[in-house]
Amino acid sequence: MKIGFIGAGNMGGAIIKGLRNADPAAIIYVYTPHPEKLEQLKEEYGVIPQKTIADLAHKSDNIVLAVKPNKIDEVLAEVKEALGDKATEKLYISIAAAITISHMQGIVGGDAKIIRIMPNTPVLVNEGMSSISPGQGVSDEELKLVKDVFDGVGKTVVVPEDMIHAVISVSGSSPAYTYMYINALIENGVKQGITEESAKELAVQAVRGAAKMVLETGVDPLILRDNVCSKGGTTIEAVHVLEDEDFMGIVDKAADATSNRSKELTV
Ligand SMILES: NC(=O)c1ccc[n+]([C@@H]2O[C@H](COP(=O)([O-])OP(=O)(O)OC[C@H]3O[C@@H](n4cnc5c(N)ncnc54)[C@H](OP(=O)(O)O)[C@@H]3O)[C@@H](O)[C@H]2O)c1
């Protein structure tokens, strides 16, 4: 596989790491504006630094766009300028939020093969959740190649492009809401006198264990909740407070706010 990364910050760097683990033989080209970053990636993951986007575009069959959304237009314009009509022979893999496949095709060429990915930050610890939305003309083989890359840093699900807003609510932005929940548990533990270190360990492992229960038992989360609640016990008291305060309604509202903003930002 010959794959080129334009941009290698938080997300790009994590994906390169996962790809190198999953496919030691992959030929990975990278361009970012800072040469010292390229040297570091060369040492750590054996990538081949490129001096320009044009060099990278000529050599790569697959081009990962891992720059901030506001850089996508200029980066794709450089690729198009370098490759001309041949630009549509490449497969483009974009992780940029809010930039549609049709917008990118408007720059590279109408029949360019583009896959949009919506990862989340846990890709940094190999526990990411990424959605994959293939545009028109993408083959099953190309889809599998991209799936393998992102499976290397977590899990993947294939969704139509217009479902990306929902993905952002449920997995893209939700680590932030989950961190708030974990933080609230830690603060409560500290308030009751446990050390911060212990409170953190208790809260984080409880959240991880609960997620694993949902994952591995396959039981509906609300049934798992009910299974923890015995009549007259402790947990039911918390559940009543959360229900009275409409905990699930608040999460739903927050998730809607995320996808509404995603729709506003999308071009
Ligand atoms: N972070 C998230 O949770 C998340 C989730 C889903 C999707 N995304 C998407 O992931 C993309 C990257 O985000 P990030 O958090 O990895 O950003 P980042 O850490 O700022 O990385 C951006 C990379 O792009 C490089 N770059 C800047 N200008 C460039 C140019 N003109 N040509 C080529 N490379 C250039 C930067 O290089 P220098 O550092 O050398 O300037 C850096 O390597 C964004 O489009 C974002 O929407 C992020």
Side-chain angles (χ1 to χ4, degrees):
M1 181 198 321
K2 286 183 182 170
I3 188 164
F5 283 75
I6 303 180
N10 293 317
M11 300 305 268
I15 297 160
I16 289 169
K17 181 177 165 197
L19 170 61
R20 177 52 78 219
N21 286 339
D23 183 357
I27 297 170
I28 308 174
Y29 301 107
V30 181
Y31 170 80
T32 85
H34 290 96
E36 64 277 9
K37 176 81 190 175
L38 289 176
E39 280 310 309
Q40 187 198 331
L41 289 167
K42 183 179 167 187
E43 264 180 40
E44 280 183 53
Y45 307 118
V47 310
I48 307 170
Q50 297 299 296
K51 288 202 168 64
T52 64
I53 288 177
D55 289 344
L56 178 141
H58 280 291
K59 291 176 189 165
S60 310
D61 301 326
N62 311 290
I63 299 177
V64 180
L65 305 164
V67 294
K68 291 282 190 196
N70 65 355
K71 302 278 180 192
I72 287 285
D73 286 13
E74 67 178 76
V75 157
L76 282 179
E78 274 191 70
V79 172
K80 176 71 179 174
E81 198 186 329
L83 300 180
D85 289 346
K86 290 194 185 309
T88 52
E89 291 173 9
K90 310 286 178 176
L91 174 68
Y92 298 87
I93 302 145
S94 169
I95 63 166
I99 313 285
T100 56
I101 291 173
S102 66
H103 180 89
M104 291 183 271
Q105 285 173 325
I107 303 169
V108 188
D111 53 353
K113 290 176 293 177
I114 301 179
I115 299 183
R116 269 184 80 186
I117 308 289
M118 181 48 59
N120 64 7
T121 47
V123 298
L124 300 171
V125 292
N126 274 359
E127 288 288 352
M129 184 66 234
S130 304
S131 71
I132 303 179
S133 304
Q136 117 252 315
V138 172
S139 68
D140 288 349
E141 197 185 333
E142 288 166 330
L143 184 59
K144 181 172 182 318
L145 178 146
V146 171
K147 196 170 160 14
D148 286 348
V149 170
F150 286 87
D151 280 340
V153 286
K155 293 191 174 182
T156 55
V157 62
V158 178
V159 299
E161 187 183 16
D162 61 356
M163 283 297 119
I164 287 181
H165 308 297
V167 168
I168 290 177
S169 297
V170 178
S171 62
S173 299
S174 65
Y177 340 144
T178 311
Y179 301 141
M180 290 170 76
Y181 174 70
I182 291 172
N183 190 64
L185 290 177
I186 295 171
E187 285 189 356
N188 179 270
V190 170
K191 184 185 77 182
Q192 295 196 62
I194 319 177
T195 64
E196 189 168 349
E197 196 188 357
S198 296
K200 193 172 175 185
E201 197 171 358
L202 291 163
V204 171
Q205 179 58 21
V207 170
R208 179 156 65 183
K212 206 166 176 185
M213 283 288 285
V214 177
L215 210 57
E216 293 191 3
T217 64
V219 174
D220 185 288
L222 294 185
I223 294 182
L224 287 170
R225 175 201 62 185
D226 293 346
N227 291 347
V228 187
C229 296
S230 41
K231 208 172 160 207
T234 56
T235 311
I236 191 72
E237 292 300 317
V239 169
H240 283 154
V241 172
L242 291 171
E243 281 174 347
D244 288 349
E245 299 289 335
D246 195 21
F247 179 69
M248 293 204 283
I250 292 169
V251 174
D252 179 56
K253 213 166 148 187
D256 276 352
T258 310
S259 58
N260 288 339
R261 184 64 180 146
S262 168
K263 286 173 195 163
E264 279 169 13
L265 290 173
T266 294
V267 293

